[in-house]
Amino acid sequence: MIKLLSLLALLWVYMAVVGATHTADLSRKSFPKGFLFGTATSAYQVEGMASKGGRGPSIWDEFIKTPGAYFSFFKHLLEDINLMVNLNFDAYRFSISWSRIFPNGTGKVNRKGVAYYNRLINYMLRKGITPYANLNHYDLPLALENKYLGWLSHDVVKDYADYAEFCFKTFGDRVKNWMTFNEPRVVAALGYDNGFFAPGRCSKAYGNCTAGNSATEPYIVTHNLILSHAAAVQRYRQKYQEKQKGRIGILLDFVWYEPLTRSKADNYAAQRARDFHVGWFLHPLVYGEYPKTMQNIVKDRLPKFTKEEVKMVKGSFDLIGINQYTTYYMYDPHTSPPKDLGYQADWNVGFAYERKGVPIGPRTKLYEEDILCVQAYSNWLYNVPWGLHKAIMYIKERYGNPTVILAENGMDDPGNLTMSKALHDTTRINYYKGYLAALKQSVDEGANVVGYFAWSLLDNFEWRIGYTSRFGIVYVDFKTLKRTPKMSAYWFKKILRKNK
Ligand SMILES: *[C@@H]1O[C@H](CO)[C@@H](O)[C@H](O)[C@H]1NC(C)=O
Ligand SMILES: *[C@@H]1O[C@H](CO)[C@@H](O)[C@H](O)[C@H]1NC(C)=O
Ligand SMILES: *[C@@H]1O[C@H](CO)[C@@H](O)[C@H](O)[C@H]1NC(C)=O
């Protein structure tokens, strides 16, 4: 019986793979030599042991106020790296928890935390998995929030740079790919414009927050995040890079914004959206100032870089990570912005998800138990591969064709899907197939993309929505923590096969 079942499962994998390869015969060989494939996770979402091993709390522990019962990568460390090897991946993008290294953000080092990351890095290297270490994935030490309101204070720049330098000094003999921040825009927008993420600050008009100012705080926070990034890069370049021979960059989220119609107004709306989204960070990093559209709209609420800061910020990257999942239509609402000022309100755009009745891409509103081939669970996630191509080409054309890694990409299923259904994730395979084909097209057209990271290796803890969503290519039983590769994991294993 078992044999018959596994035979059926194999047949299923075979049919899904064969059935879906007609669009493009994708494999490792579709990409340039040396192109890396990896998976990504973040510390808070997979590590567990939130209040153990000497770790100090981060603003997320305070924000969601649930005990640190997350499942523990700690205990599955070696197993999970073996899994990556078995699935033919080359690299792993993980994040370091600042408060596991410095429980209070600064000062005393937690040696147990250092030992944990050493163990992780050493085992990856032993197994031939290239580490991509990200220094911060939303999880600011709570002590710094309490001390000076965290990212709102310029004081964070030095503390962050000290933490980053400690990591370069301690792990940089082995880690050659550093990222300073993951999705700093999400920190500023969700943390300070609508309060949906930690530390949950916003104006009354834009969310249920007890404190905050959506008109100013997102911009102040981003300014300090950019300066923190640049200060860390400066330390790396001045003291470590030459000897350690690594590279450093930042990870930016980017939704592609397509004008809804060909009107000038909708084109301008889409451009505003791109500038307020990825341009907010990438423009200063490449050109030393915020996009002109933002300067004109936000005016004196937008901080300015001093001459000295411009020198530090401009050119402060060796590579850029782009996290890309979805695409929306943009239109000009032909109304004035609302009188309550705020970051999202400043865009003054309308979002649309269909054009003349045709959805921009597949999505399901309600998950229906009996339908296997549904799309992503997250309601923001439309499957639009051509948007990835446009996003990558936009970065290439507008920002001088930087070295890019596609650093996150994937889709989720509902958390309570039965295991057998979760394992048969043909929809996810089709999602990856479409996006990888679009990425290949971008590379073929000259975009300097050098790697691809699927989000995520494991089903994990999805921030505010907790365990209700599963982004993994490997199924995790949230009770026993047992890992079971899904069909999409076997699909990756097949296309990433290396020639012996
Ligand atoms: C962190 O700060 C608290 C309060 O000041 C102190 O009691 C604790 O010892 C500090 N922990 C470390 C590891 O420095
Ligand atoms: C707003 O927040 C308060 C306190 O955190 C909570 O009790 C209340 O239910 C929230 N209201 C809404 C509409 O979410
Ligand atoms: C699964 O979770 C969703 C909400 O995330 C809920 O609407 C649905 O009823 C749940 N289904 C089952 C079978 O528990």
Side-chain angles (χ1 to χ4, degrees):
M1 191 59 189
I2 301 285
K3 276 218 178 95
L4 182 64
L5 280 180
S6 50
L7 201 68
L8 280 175
L10 265 178
L11 194 66
W12 191 310
V13 173
Y14 177 77
M15 289 188 322
V17 170
V18 169
T21 31
H22 66 276
T23 42
D25 220 0
L26 277 173
S27 75
R28 187 182 278 287
K29 279 184 290 200
S30 313
F31 292 84
K33 200 160 178 284
F35 192 96
L36 279 184
F37 288 89
T39 59
T41 63
S42 88
Y44 197 63
Q45 290 171 280
V46 301
E47 275 181 7
M49 304 267 289
S51 56
K52 297 200 184 121
R55 178 182 176 276
S58 81
I59 54 175
W60 272 90
D61 297 286
E62 169 80 2
F63 189 59
I64 53 179
K65 288 196 168 58
T66 50
Y70 321 121
F71 60 94
S72 181
F73 189 65
F74 256 78
K75 296 204 183 79
H76 296 262
L77 191 65
L78 310 188
E79 176 191 345
D80 287 344
I81 293 165
N82 290 340
L83 198 52
M84 297 170 205
V85 175
N86 187 261
L87 296 175
N88 291 329
F89 285 107
D90 316 303
Y92 178 46
R93 168 160 108 63
F94 63 100
S95 82
I96 296 175
S97 158
W98 182 348
S99 61
R100 199 180 287 289
I101 303 282
F102 291 103
N104 282 343
T106 60
K108 203 158 152 256
V109 173
N110 171 31
R111 288 289 153 198
K112 278 190 194 151
V114 173
Y116 165 70
Y117 292 111
N118 272 329
R119 189 158 162 253
L120 170 65
I121 293 162
N122 291 344
Y123 194 71
M124 283 167 68
L125 290 175
R126 211 164 96 210
K127 289 289 173 174
I129 298 284
T130 304
Y132 274 66
N134 166 30
L135 292 166
N136 187 257
H137 195 121
Y138 305 168
D139 48 353
L140 178 82
L142 182 61
L144 302 184
E145 184 70 22
N146 294 339
K147 192 167 165 189
Y148 50 62
L149 285 183
W151 304 121
L152 277 169
S153 167
H154 186 269
D155 290 352
V156 79
V157 176
K158 179 180 179 299
D159 287 347
Y160 175 81
D162 287 346
Y163 153 65
E165 178 166 356
F166 177 84
C167 293
F168 304 146
K169 195 167 66 192
T170 309
F171 308 118
D173 55 332
R174 288 152 292 152
V175 173
K176 305 301 171 188
N177 297 279
W178 290 103
M179 309 308 286
T180 54
F181 288 102
N182 177 76
E183 299 185 350
R185 191 201 71 92
V186 169
V187 173
L190 276 67
Y192 299 83
D193 187 45
N194 62 27
F196 192 67
F197 271 20
R201 296 174 63 91
C202 61
S203 302
K204 277 275 179 291
Y206 293 115
N208 187 19
C209 306
T210 50
N213 183 343
S214 305
T216 54
E217 290 187 358
Y219 298 109
I220 295 166
V221 162
T222 284
H223 203 68
N224 289 328
L225 286 165
I226 291 174
L227 291 173
S228 300
H229 155 83
V233 172
Q234 189 177 53
R235 301 256 189 117
Y236 187 61
R237 287 187 169 165
Q238 286 177 353
K239 297 170 77 171
Y240 301 94
Q241 191 165 38
E242 199 180 332
K243 190 155 154 248
Q244 298 182 345
K245 305 211 176 346
R247 56 186 181 174
I248 188 163
I250 190 168
L251 301 154
L252 304 174
D253 57 299
F254 191 20
V255 167
W256 179 249
Y257 296 110
E258 183 73 6
L260 180 61
T261 73
R262 294 164 66 177
S263 74
K264 229 178 201 162
D266 286 357
N267 270 285
Y268 284 140
Q271 189 54 44
R272 279 200 299 284
R274 296 171 202 138
D275 283 337
F276 271 91
H277 198 132
V278 81
W280 196 9
F281 291 85
L282 203 44
H283 218 88
L285 263 53
V286 174
Y287 301 114
E289 59 172 2
Y290 291 113
K292 282 282 181 321
T293 44
M294 291 188 72
Q295 295 183 35
N296 294 337
I297 292 167
V298 188
K299 300 202 172 71
D300 54 4
R301 287 180 289 125
L302 190 65
K304 282 196 176 56
F305 296 107
T306 65
K307 273 208 182 107
E308 276 308 300
E309 288 168 349
V310 170
K311 266 192 231 153
M312 191 171 78
V313 167
K314 195 173 163 180
S316 60
F317 63 90
D318 305 315
L319 78 167
I320 297 290
I322 296 292
N323 297 351
Q324 221 281 340
Y325 292 87
T326 199
T327 292
Y328 304 135
Y329 292 124
M330 284 287 114
Y331 62 90
D332 189 316
H334 295 290
T335 54
S336 346
K339 63 178 190 318
D340 290 300
L341 296 172
Y343 161 71
Q344 187 64 55
D346 283 334
W347 297 27
N348 197 27
V349 298
F351 284 74
Y353 310 101
E354 56 178 52
R355 187 190 258 164
K356 295 188 179 132
V358 181
I360 193 163
R363 183 197 74 154
T364 46
K365 285 201 195 75
L366 288 172
Y367 198 86
E368 287 178 39
E369 266 268 279
D370 294 315
I371 306 172
L372 264 180
C373 256
V374 291
Q375 296 294 323
Y377 168 66
S378 281
N379 61 7
W380 52 267
L381 211 165
Y382 293 79
N383 180 346
V384 191
W386 57 261
L388 171 69
H389 173 248
K390 288 207 173 188
I392 295 290
M393 298 315 280
Y394 176 82
I395 304 276
K396 169 184 183 287
E397 300 300 333
R398 202 164 186 96
Y399 294 108
N401 203 8
T403 302
V404 164
I405 55 171
L406 206 285
E408 275 186 28
N409 178 238
M411 58 157 278
D412 60 343
D413 294 317
N416 57 8
L417 196 58
T418 62
M419 177 169 165
S420 64
K421 282 181 183 169
L423 294 181
H424 293 150
D425 60 341
T426 47
T427 311
R428 182 174 284 105
I429 294 177
N430 282 319
Y431 177 97
Y432 278 128
K433 205 174 297 229
Y435 276 76
L436 276 169
L439 186 66
K440 171 183 160 46
Q441 185 191 351
S442 316
V443 173
D444 290 348
E445 291 170 15
N448 191 13
V449 184
V450 300
Y452 174 89
F453 291 78
W455 184 275
S456 180
L457 176 68
L458 304 170
D459 290 335
N460 60 46
F461 178 76
E462 188 58 20
W463 307 102
R464 263 301 282 276
I465 60 171
Y467 293 115
T468 64
S469 145
R470 294 181 177 273
F471 268 99
I473 60 171
V474 173
Y475 181 88
V476 176
D477 180 322
F478 290 143
K479 287 203 186 75
T480 63
L481 306 184
K482 183 171 164 14
R483 277 87 161 132
T484 312
K486 302 177 189 176
M487 273 172 58
S488 56
Y490 291 114
W491 179 77
F492 271 110
K493 181 180 169 85
K494 178 173 177 284
I495 70 157
L496 298 182
R497 224 171 15 210
K498 289 166 201 165
N499 291 328
K500 285 279 142 55

